[in-house]
Amino acid sequence: MSKATLRIVFFGTSDFAVPALKYLIQNGYNFSAVVTQAEKPAGRLRVTMPSPIKKAALESHILVLEPHNLKNDEEFFKHFKHLNPDLCIVAAYGKIIPSRYLEVPKHGFLNIHPSLLPKYRGPSPVQAAILNGDKETWVSVILIDERMDHGPVLANIKYQISSSKSFTEINKEIWEIGAGFMIQILQKWISGEIKPKPQNENQASYCKLLARIDGKIAWDKSAQEIYNQIRALNPEPGTWTKWKGMILNIKRVELLNKETLEDKPGMVININNNIAVATRKCYLILKQIQLEGGKEMDAKSFINGHSDFLGSVLE
């Protein structure tokens, strides 16, 4: 089956789905429709905004469908069957695809997942890899079944995790790689050259949807552990500590390879004109912080307005 005759429906929502859609369009694939989560109010003003994938689809003059509930929306399911897709591609859609949908396309539903499945099934695989200090992760393309991230693997590709990059940078790069990788394997899958391999359930691990409480910093951990936490959880759900009873958001730090001596974990000190915090092992240099109700700023500027910050202990 050629690119021109292949009928594809794309399921996606977030920014991370956009590269896959754009790469496929640039490589000559056509789409019957793009399915995305319905618009939701966002921001302080609760303004309803289209999803990033909706914007990208409309720019390419592709039909956009926004079902509120795949499971119970009978009219949408009829519409989906009427589209008669040969293949569906899923990237950062954010919802489970009900089993009856999976039976419609001849070539199934293919999903881009940013881990070496069955490791890190679930909603936060890239953050989990950073939190655990992994040096590498993978992007897997799987054939979706009725269970979350459970389907057989078509292929995967390695990604080296830079210790100096944040989650935002790493995640963007991974999804770009995933988009390009989908292009590499798509025709091989359609032509029957790829045989899916079942995942080993004995090796499965799961990562959860991260919440604000997961960003609470425990300064009695090592500097490396806290550094990974800050890289992984910013910008959302964010990492934070308490200073004088107020929330202090810790946005960006740098590792300082200097062993802590008698400084209590959480103590703020000046080291070579850098604002540093003691941990169980080594120090972290504070770069960008934000006191609740205030603006984000570099730590040195914060000191100018809060001279009692030095010598205090973060909780």
Side-chain angles (χ1 to χ4, degrees):
M1 184 174 288
S2 67
K3 295 179 181 179
T5 59
L6 188 66
R7 295 183 300 273
I8 306 176
V9 174
F10 188 98
F11 286 69
T13 300
S14 76
D15 284 309
F16 306 119
V18 173
L21 180 65
K22 288 188 172 180
Y23 280 30
L24 287 160
I25 292 171
Q26 291 166 7
N27 279 269
Y29 290 95
N30 298 310
F31 291 89
S32 303
V34 164
V35 180
T36 187
Q37 291 193 41
E39 295 184 14
K40 299 175 183 177
R44 291 183 179 179
L45 299 178
R46 309 304 293 164
V47 176
T48 301
M49 297 292 291
S51 70
I53 203 70
K54 179 177 181 178
K55 293 179 183 178
L58 292 176
E59 288 172 1
S60 296
H61 309 290
I62 301 171
L63 172 67
V64 176
L65 304 173
E66 301 176 89
H68 286 273
N69 190 317
L70 288 180
K71 185 176 180 180
N72 300 320
D73 192 331
E74 294 299 327
E75 285 302 313
F76 175 75
F77 183 62
K78 290 178 183 177
H79 190 175
F80 175 73
K81 286 199 298 182
H82 183 70
L83 291 171
N84 193 27
D86 298 303
L87 172 75
C88 293
I89 293 175
V90 183
Y93 177 56
K95 288 187 175 182
I96 297 292
I97 309 294
S99 58
R100 62 176 176 170
Y101 286 80
L102 305 181
E103 300 168 359
V104 174
K106 175 183 177 182
H107 298 289
F109 277 71
L110 301 189
N111 179 45
I112 302 172
H113 183 83
S115 82
L116 184 60
L117 289 169
K119 187 176 184 180
Y120 299 145
R121 293 176 178 173
S124 57
V126 178
Q127 289 167 302
I130 298 170
L131 278 167
N132 290 334
D134 294 353
K135 303 299 182 185
E136 64 183 32
T137 189
W138 295 68
V139 179
S140 299
V141 175
I142 69 169
L143 183 63
I144 293 180
D145 64 12
E146 66 279 1
R147 294 170 60 184
M148 183 177 64
D149 302 329
H150 173 271
V153 177
L154 272 62
N156 44 51
I157 186 171
K158 186 185 294 186
Y159 172 83
Q160 297 292 334
I161 299 177
S162 169
S163 61
S164 63
K165 290 182 178 178
S166 66
F167 163 71
T168 301
E169 296 171 289
I170 292 169
N171 208 31
K172 183 177 184 297
E173 290 179 0
I174 284 176
W175 283 99
E176 290 277 350
I177 288 172
F181 190 51
M182 177 65 79
I183 298 297
Q184 292 179 34
I185 69 170
L186 190 49
Q187 282 302 131
K188 293 180 180 179
W189 167 245
I190 298 299
S191 64
E193 296 177 47
I194 297 176
K195 184 177 180 181
K197 298 179 180 178
Q199 297 182 37
N200 185 341
E201 283 299 302
N202 294 327
Q203 297 176 357
S205 64
Y206 295 83
C207 50
K208 65 177 184 176
L209 184 64
L210 295 163
R212 181 66 171 165
I213 190 62
D214 297 305
K216 177 69 168 69
I217 297 172
W219 296 104
D220 57 355
K221 291 185 177 180
S222 71
Q224 184 67 60
E225 289 176 290
I226 299 171
Y227 175 69
N228 290 341
Q229 180 187 16
I230 293 167
R231 285 197 303 139
L233 272 61
N234 279 293
E236 294 293 339
T239 44
W240 54 280
T241 186
K242 283 196 172 183
W243 178 65
K244 296 173 66 173
M246 296 178 287
I247 297 293
L248 181 67
N249 296 300
I250 309 297
K251 301 285 189 174
R252 188 166 64 87
V253 297
E254 291 180 0
L255 282 167
L256 180 62
N257 190 22
K258 178 181 174 66
E259 291 288 336
T260 49
L261 300 175
E262 297 180 358
D263 294 317
K264 180 180 179 180
M267 179 170 285
V268 182
I269 64 172
N270 186 315
I271 299 179
N272 298 327
N273 203 32
N274 287 306
I275 312 305
V277 183
T279 71
R280 174 174 56 79
K281 183 179 180 182
C282 297
Y283 294 87
L284 286 171
I285 297 174
L286 297 179
K287 303 300 290 185
Q288 294 293 125
I289 59 179
Q290 179 188 29
L291 192 63
E292 62 177 296
K295 295 181 178 180
E296 180 178 338
M297 63 181 67
D298 65 86
K300 292 180 181 179
S301 297
F302 184 80
I303 289 289
N304 292 336
H306 303 86
S307 57
D308 55 343
F309 189 57
L310 282 174
S312 65
V313 178
L314 304 178
E315 301 175 1

